[in-house]
C-alpha cells in the first residue's frame, strides 16, 4: 500500500526554543517497496515513523495509508494505532519478557480474535519463515540479540500487514551480525508483497537495503531517490556528504559545453557532469575519494588533472586511505594498496568529469 | 490518548489533595480556632498557651534527645551490618535478609511491650533473673527511661536504615576503594577516607528518614515512656486529647504543627539528598565482584554479634510474648513456671468480644485497605513515570508529602475532617486515614516497577492491534506483578500493625488490634496482651507468606 504524507508538522517546545521535528513534510512512499528514511539523529525521521504508526500525534497535516486517511488535522481524523493494522519492529525489539516466543508472535492474531488452531498454524509458518522453527516454547528472556530481532520481525509479519515499519532495528546488534541480518532482511522483504518503511542513521544500511531513500535534515525531506541516484547523483551538498565521504570544493559555474558544465575553483577549472544551473551560480564540487585516479604514466593528459604532495597514507586492508595536498586543499583519496608511492612523493591525479558532482547548498 | 492521560492526572491530583492536604488544612485551621473541637473564631491563644508553657520545652528536650539518639543508633548499626554483609566474608549472609525483612512482621507496640516485660523495674523477667542470680536488692535495669526508649526505638528503625544503606554499599564502585589501596591506604584508612565519604548521602538519608520515623513514633513512647512520665511530643499530644474533662484538639493541633513542619522539611531534605545520592554512588554496569575483606580472627565474634542481633530483633519478642501468654503472672522461667502454664489468657482473649472485634477490624483494614491503596498507587505511579507533564510533577510532590505525616498529628487533622462527614467513628474513617498516610509506601515499589517497563513494550502491543485495556491487562499488569506484590505486602503489614493514627481515630466499635494491645498494656493485662500479640504476629507472617505465594504464581517466566 502506498503511504501519502501531506504538510506534516510537529513542533516541540523546550526551554523557550521551538524544535521543528517535522517541518512541512510532503512524501509519497511507494507501495511494496523498501523505503528508508535516512538522516542524522534528531532530524525527525523517528518522529515521522511514529506519526505513521500513530504513536505520535503531529500538529498539522494528513497521513493516508492506502485509501484510508489515518490522520488529518483538517478533517479531524485520528485512527488509533491499534486500528491501523500495521507491523513494526522497535529499536529495542520490545519482546515482552513475561511471554514465550509463541505468545509474543501470536499476540497480534489473538487481538484479531482468530481461532486458536489457525493462530498456531500461522505462528508456526511465520517462525519457519524467520528460521526460528521449534522456538515456540522458549521464554523470551532466553534469546540472543539476533533471535530477539527475528521474533520481533515474526511478530510484525504474522498478521500479514500491508505496511511494516522499522525503527533502527539493527543498531543493537554487533557489526558482523548486523551485516548478515541486513542481507536476510532484504531477502525476507523482497519475497513479500509489503511496503516497508525503514528508519536508520547508517548510510551503508540505507544503501544496501532500500529500493528508495529519503534523506532528512532538521525536520525536512532534503532528497528522495534510489540508492545509486543518492550516492552518485545527489543534488544537495548535505546529501552527498552524508551518504559517503567526499572532497568538497566551492565552485562557480562558468559555461556549459556539450554534456559538461565548466566551473571555476580555487584550484582552477573543472569539467563536471552536466547540471542545469545559470552561469555564475555558486555551487559545491563534490569528488568521492574512490574516484581520484592516480596517474602512473607521464604525458597521457587527462581532464581535471592536479598535482600535489602525498601527506598521509593509512593502510586499512583493501586500500590506502590517503590525503593529498594541493595548495591549501587536502584531498582524501583511495590508493591501490600495492602502490609504490610513499608519503612526501609528488603525485599527479585526475578525476573523470562524470565523477565531478556539482551540488547546491 | 493524551487527553485521557491528562484527565487521569487531574483526577488523581484531586483525590490525593483530598487525602493528604485536607487533614493538614484542618489541622492548621483547627489550631487557630477558639473552640475546643470546633472551627471558627480566629485566635492564637492555643499557640500562646502551648508555647509559653515550660512543660512543653521539657517535652521538646526529651523529644530531641529521643529522636536524635535513636536515629543515630539505627544508622550506625545499619552501617555496621551493611558493611559486614557487602564487604566481608562473614558466614551466614542470608541472616542479613532476615534482619531487614522479618521485623516488618512484628508490630512495634509488641516489640516495645516485650522489652517492658523483660526489663521493667518491678517484675521484668530479666531483672528478676539477675536479682536472683546476684542477690540484688533492686532491679538492675529500668526500661521506662529515655535510654530504654532510645535503645528499643533504635532497634525498631534499624531495618529502615539498613534498606537505604545496604543497596548503596552494594552498588558502590569498588575501583574507588581499589585505587585508594593502590595509593597506599589500608583497610581502615580506605573505609574512613573513601568509602564512608562517598556513601555520605545514603548515610545522611538513612539518618533523616529515621529521625522522621522517630518523630512520628508512638508505640515506644507510649509503652515505655508514659509509665515513667517521660513524655515526647507524640505522647504529649495524646495526653492532651485523652485526659482532662474535654479534649482540647486545638491545643493538640498547635503542638502538632511543630512536629509536622519539622517532618515535612526533613522529608524534602531527604528527597533532595536521595536524588543527589543517585548521582553520587556510581553503579557500575560491568559485572564486578566486590573484593571481600578477609575477617580472619574477627570472623567468629562478629558472626556471634550478628546472631545476637537477629535473636534480639526477631526471636526475643516472640519468645517473651509466648512465655507470658502461658504463665499466670510474671515470673522467672523455672520448673515451677513451666508447671503452672495454662491457657487461661488465651481463653480470655478468645472470649473477649472487643479483642475479637479488633481482630476483625484489623483484618478488614489490612486486606481491603492495602488492596485499595495498591490500586491507587498503580494509577499514581503510572502517571508519575509515564506521563511527563507539569501536572504529573505536582502529583509526584503531593504523593511524597504523606511520607512525613506523623500518625498522631495527622490523625487529629483527620478527626476534624471526619467529624464533618457521616464517616466519623466508622471503620471507613480509619481506612481512608491509613491509605492517605501510608500511600508513599505503596507508590515507591510501583514506580520502580513502572520505570523498568520500557515504553516500547506498550507501544508494540498497540501496534499489534491491542486496545488500551488489552495492553494494560496483557502487558503492563503482568510485568507489574512483583511491584504490586511488594507494595501490597508493605501496606498490608503497616495497616495491620497501625497504632498512632488509630489511637486518635478509633472509637468504641472500631478498635484495631494495636489499639486493643495498647489498652491491655495500660491496664497491665500482660497475659492477654501476649496472647493477642502472638495471634497478631501469626497473622502478619501468614499474610506475607500468602502474598508472596500469590505473587510467585503470577510471576512472569524468567528462565
Amino acid at each position: 500500500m502506498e503511504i501519502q504524507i501531506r504538510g506534516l508538522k510537529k513542533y516541540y517546545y523546550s526551554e523557550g526554543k521551538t524544535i521543528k521535528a517535522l517541518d512541512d513534510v510532503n512524501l509519497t512512499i511507494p507501495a511494496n517497496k523498501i523505503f528508508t528514511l535516512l538522516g542524522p539523529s534528531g532530524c525527525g525521521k523517528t518522529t515521522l515513523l511514529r506519526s505513521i504508526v500513530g504513536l505520535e500525534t503531529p500538529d498539522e497535516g494528513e497521513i493516508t495509508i492506502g485509501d484510508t486517511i489515518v490522520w488529518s488535522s483538517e478533517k479531524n481524523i485520528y485512527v488509533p494505532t491499534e486500528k491501523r493494522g500495521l507491523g513494526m519492529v522497535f529499536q529495542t525489539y520490545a519482546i515482552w519478557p513475561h511471554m514465550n516466543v509463541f505468545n509474543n508472535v501470536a499476540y497480534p492474531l489473538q487481538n484479531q480474535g482468530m481461532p486458536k488452531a489457525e493462530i498456531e498454524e500461522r505462528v508456526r509458518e511465520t517462525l519457519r519463515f524467520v528460521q526460528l522453527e521449534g522456538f515456540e516454547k522458549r521464554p523470551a528472556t532466553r534469546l540472543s540479540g539476533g533471535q530477539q530481532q527475528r521474533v520481533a520481525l515474526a511478530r510484525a509479519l504474522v498478521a500479514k500487514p500491508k505496511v511494516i515499519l522499522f525503527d533502527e532495528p539493527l543498531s543493537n546488534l554487533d557489526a558482523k551480525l548486523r551485516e548478515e541480518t541486513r542481507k536476510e532482511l532484504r531477502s525476507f522483504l523482497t519475497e513479500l508483497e509489503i511496503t516497508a518503511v525503514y528508519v536508520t542513521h547508517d548510510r551503508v544500511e540505507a544503501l544496501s537495503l532500500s529500493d528508495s531513500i529519503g534523506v532528512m535534515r532538521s525536520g525536512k525531506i532534503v532528497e528522495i531517490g534510489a540508492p545509486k541516484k543518492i550516492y552518485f547523483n545527489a543534488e544537495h551538498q548535505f546529501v552527498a556528504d552524508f551518504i559517503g565521504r567526499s572532497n568538497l570544493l566551492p565552485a562557480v559555474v562558468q559555461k556549459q559545453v556539450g554534456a559538461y558544465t565548466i566551473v571555476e575553483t580555487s584550484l582552477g577549472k573543472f569539467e563536471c557532469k552536466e547540471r542545469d544551473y545559470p552561469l555564475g551560480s555558486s555551487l559545491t564540487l563534490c569528488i568521492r575519494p574512490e574516484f581520484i585516479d592516480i596517474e602512473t604514466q607521464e604525458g597521457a593528459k587527462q581532464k581535471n588533472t592536479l598535482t600535489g604532495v602525498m601527506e598521509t597514507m593509512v593502510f586499512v586492508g583493501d586500500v590506502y586511505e590517503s590525503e593529498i595536498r594541493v595548495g591549501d586543499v587536502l584531498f582524501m583519496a583511495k590508493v591501490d594498496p600495492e602502490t609504490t608511492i610513499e608519503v612526501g612523493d609528488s603525485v599527479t591525479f585526475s578525476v573523470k568529469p562524470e565523477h565531478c558532482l556539482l551540488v547546491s547548498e | 490518548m493524551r487527553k485521557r492521560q491528562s484527565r487521569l492526572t487531574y483526577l488523581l491530583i484531586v483525590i490525593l489533595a483530598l487525602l493528604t492536604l485536607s487533614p493538614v488544612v484542618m489541622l492548621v485551621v483547627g489550631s487557630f480556632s477558639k473552640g475546643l473541637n470546633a472551627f471558627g473564631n480566629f485566635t492564637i491563644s492555643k499557640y500562646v498557651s502551648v508555647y509559653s508553657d515550660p512543660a512543653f520545652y521539657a517535652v521538646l528536650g526529651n523529644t530531641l534527645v529521643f529522636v536524635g539518639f535513636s536515629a543515630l543508633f539505627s544508622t550506625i548499626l545499619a552501617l555496621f551490618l551493611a558493611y559486614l554483609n557487602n564487604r566481608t566474608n562473614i558466614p551466614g549472609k542470608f541472616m542479613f535478609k532476615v534482619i531487614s525483612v522479618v521485623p516488618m512482621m512484628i508490630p512495634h507496640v509488641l516489640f516495645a511491650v516485650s522489652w517492658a516485660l523483660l526489663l521493667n523495674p518491678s517484675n521484668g523477667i530479666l531483672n528478676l533473673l539477675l536479682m536472683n542470680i546476684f542477690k540484688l536488692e533492686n532491679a538492675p535495669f529500668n526500661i521506662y527511661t529515655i535510654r530504654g526508649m532510645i535503645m528499643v526505638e533504635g532497634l525498631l528503625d534499624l531495618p529502615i536504615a539498613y534498606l537505604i544503606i545496604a543497596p548503596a554499599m552494594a552498588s558502590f564502585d569498588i575501583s574507588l576503594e581499589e585505587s585508594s589501596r593502590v595509593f597506599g591506604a589500608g583497610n581502615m584508612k580506605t573505609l574512613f577516607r573513601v568509602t564512608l565519604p562517598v556513601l555520605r548521602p545514603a548515610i545522611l538519608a538513612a539518618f533523616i528518614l529515621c529521625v522522621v520515623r522517630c518523630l512520628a513514633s508512638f508505640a515506644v513512647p507510649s509503652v515505655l515512656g508514659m509509665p515513667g512520665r517521660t513524655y515526647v511530643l507524640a505522647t504529649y499530644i495524646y495526653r492532651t486529647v485523652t485526659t482532662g474533662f474535654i479534649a482540647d484538639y486545638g491545643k493538640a493541633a498547635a503542638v502538632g504543627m511543630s512536629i509536622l513542619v519539622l517532618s515535612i522539611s526533613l522529608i524534602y531534605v531527604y528527597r533532595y539528598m536521595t536524588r543527589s545520592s543517585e548521582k553520587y554512588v556510581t553503579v557500575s554496569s560491568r559485572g564486578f565482584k566486590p573484593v571481600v575483606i578477609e575477617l580472619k580472627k574477627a570472623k567468629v565474634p562478629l558472626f556471634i554479634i550478628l546472631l545476637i542481633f537477629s535473636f534480639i530483633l526477631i526471636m526475643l519478642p516472640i519468645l517473651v510474648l509466648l512465655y507470658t501468654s502461658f504463665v499466670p503472672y510474671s515470673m522467672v522461667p523455672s520448673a515451677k513456671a513451666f508447671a503452672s502454664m495454662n491457657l487461661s489468657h488465651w481463653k480470655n482473649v478468645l472470649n473477649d468480644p472487643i479483642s475479637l472485634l479488633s481482630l476483625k477490624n484489623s483484618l478488614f483494614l489490612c486486606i481491603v485497605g492495602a488492596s485499595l491503596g495498591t490500586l491507587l498507587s498503580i494509577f499514581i505511579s503510572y502517571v508519575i513515570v509515564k506521563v511527563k507533564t507539569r501536572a504529573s510533577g505536582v502529583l509526584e510532590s503531593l504523593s511524597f508529602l504523606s511520607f512525613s505525616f506523623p500518625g498522631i498529628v495527622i490523625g487529629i487533622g483527620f478527626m476534624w475532617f471526619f467529624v464533618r462527614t457521616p464517616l466519623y467513628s466508622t471503620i471507613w474513617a480509619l481506612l481512608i486515614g491509613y491509605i492517605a498516610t501510608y500511600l508513599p509506601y505503596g507508590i515507591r515499589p510501583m514506580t520502580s516497577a513502572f520505570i523498568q517497563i520500557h515504553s516500547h513494550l506498550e507501544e508494540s502491543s498497540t501496534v499489534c492491534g491491542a486496545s488500551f485495556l488489552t495492553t494494560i491487562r496483557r502487558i503492563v499488569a503482568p510485568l507489574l506483578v512483583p511491584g504490586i506484590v511488594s507494595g501490597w505486602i508493605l501496606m498490608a503489614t503497616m495497616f495491620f500493625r497501625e497504632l498512632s493514627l488509630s489511637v486518635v481515630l478509633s472509637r468504641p466499635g472500631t478498635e484495631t488490634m494495636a489499639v486493643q494491645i495498647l489498652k491491655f498494656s495500660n491496664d497491665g493485662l500482660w497475659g492477654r496482651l501476649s496472647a493477642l500479640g502472638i495471634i497478631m504476629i501469626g497473622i502478619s507472617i501468614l499474610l506475607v507468606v500468602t502474598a508472596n505465594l500469590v505473587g510467585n504464581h503470577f510471576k512472569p517466566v524468567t528462565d
Side-chain angles (χ1 to χ4, degrees), chain B residues 245-447:
Chain B
F245 183 55
I246 301 172
D248 190 343
Y249 285 98
K251 197 176 156 194
V255 178
M257 288 313 293
S258 47
I259 306 188
L260 195 64
V261 168
L262 195 58
S263 285
I264 292 178
S265 1
L266 281 173
I267 272 301
Y268 280 91
V269 172
Y270 163 79
R271 195 181 171 196
Y272 175 77
M273 306 222 32
T274 43
R275 271 197 180 158
S276 56
S277 81
E278 275 155 26
K279 275 182 263 159
Y280 219 119
V281 174
T282 45
V283 185
S284 160
S285 59
R286 68 202 155 91
F288 70 87
K289 241 190 139 78
V291 176
V292 162
I293 291 168
E294 183 63 49
L295 286 177
K296 294 173 202 149
K297 275 185 193 156
K299 200 169 183 173
V300 173
L302 283 172
F303 181 63
I304 291 171
I305 290 175
L306 182 63
L307 276 182
I308 291 172
F309 264 119
S310 350
F311 179 77
I312 287 177
L313 278 172
I314 297 151
M315 292 313 292
L316 195 66
I318 297 178
L319 288 177
V320 170
L321 292 174
L322 255 181
Y323 173 77
T324 311
S325 75
F326 288 117
V327 294
Y329 54 89
S330 273
M331 53 172 107
V332 175
S334 63
K336 184 175 156 249
F338 282 99
S340 66
M341 277 185 169
N342 61 55
L343 289 173
S344 68
H345 295 312
W346 286 83
K347 280 179 191 149
N348 278 333
V349 163
L350 293 174
N351 288 324
D352 174 19
I354 297 181
S355 295
L356 292 179
L357 180 67
S358 76
L359 174 61
K360 203 183 102 199
N361 284 341
S362 283
L363 271 179
F364 172 83
L365 285 170
C366 135
I367 290 170
V368 177
S371 306
L372 288 176
T374 307
L375 197 67
L376 188 57
S377 307
I378 293 176
F379 283 107
I380 292 175
S381 313
Y382 174 80
V383 170
I384 290 176
V385 177
K386 300 281 174 182
V387 184
K388 295 261 178 244
T389 59
R390 196 163 292 170
S392 79
V394 171
L395 190 68
E396 193 189 357
S397 305
L398 212 51
S399 75
F400 215 79
L401 184 64
S402 49
F403 240 135
S404 58
F405 283 177
I408 196 148
V409 178
I410 220 65
I412 289 166
F414 269 120
M415 211 223 45
W416 261 310
F417 180 72
F418 287 129
V419 158
R420 281 159 186 76
T421 66
L423 294 172
Y424 181 67
S425 91
T426 66
I427 195 95
W428 298 101
L430 285 161
L431 187 92
I432 293 169
Y434 283 11
I435 292 177
T437 312
Y438 297 99
L439 201 58
Y441 296 92
I443 291 175
R444 264 174 47 137
M446 294 303 303
T447 37

Side-chain angles (χ1 to χ4, degrees), chain A residues 10 50 53 55 81-82 86-88 90-92 94-99 103 107-108 110-111 139 141-142 155, chain B residues 1-2 454 456-468 470-471 474-476 478-479 556-559:
Chain A
K10 171 86 181 175
R50 288 168 62 87
V53 76
L55 292 170
T81 303
E82 64 267 28
L86 309 177
M88 179 161 174
F90 288 77
Q91 187 175 9
T92 56
I95 302 293
W96 299 303
H98 60 301
M99 294 181 183
N103 277 321
Y107 193 86
Q110 289 164 347
N111 286 324
T141 44
R142 279 185 45 196
R155 184 175 65 190
Chain B
M1 186 74 180
R2 181 148 325 145
H454 196 287
H456 283 176
L457 294 178
E458 290 164 71
E459 287 174 358
S460 70
S461 165
T462 316
V463 175
C464 288
S467 65
F468 179 69
T470 309
T471 303
R474 291 204 53 195
I475 308 296
V476 181
L479 290 171
V557 245
T558 42
D559 65 328

Side-chain angles (χ1 to χ4, degrees), chain A residues 186-258:
Chain A
R186 167 98 197 153
S187 75
F188 284 152
L189 291 176
T190 41
E191 204 175 309
L192 301 165
E193 287 271 293
I194 197 164
T195 307
V197 185
Y198 192 100
V199 159
T200 184
H201 62 266
D202 184 316
R203 59 197 173 84
V204 181
E205 220 167 282
L207 290 170
S208 58
L209 202 59
S210 328
D211 295 314
S212 173
I213 298 173
V215 183
M216 280 189 82
R217 178 199 200 180
S218 328
K220 280 186 189 308
I221 303 268
V222 186
E223 217 171 308
I224 299 174
K228 276 195 171 175
K229 193 237 159 197
I230 294 283
Y231 191 83
F232 291 120
N233 223 350
E235 285 170 25
H236 298 83
Q237 184 188 330
F238 172 76
V239 176
D241 198 29
F242 191 78
I243 201 79
R245 286 208 232 172
S246 14
N247 297 299
L248 299 172
L249 211 58
V252 179
V253 178
Q254 270 205 336
K255 56 183 168 185
Q256 305 281 2
V257 178

Side-chain angles (χ1 to χ4, degrees), chain B residues 204-220:
Chain B
L204 272 172
F207 179 76
I208 289 174
L209 203 58
C210 285
V211 166
V212 171
R213 298 279 298 224
C214 296
L215 268 178
S217 166
F218 179 71
V220 172

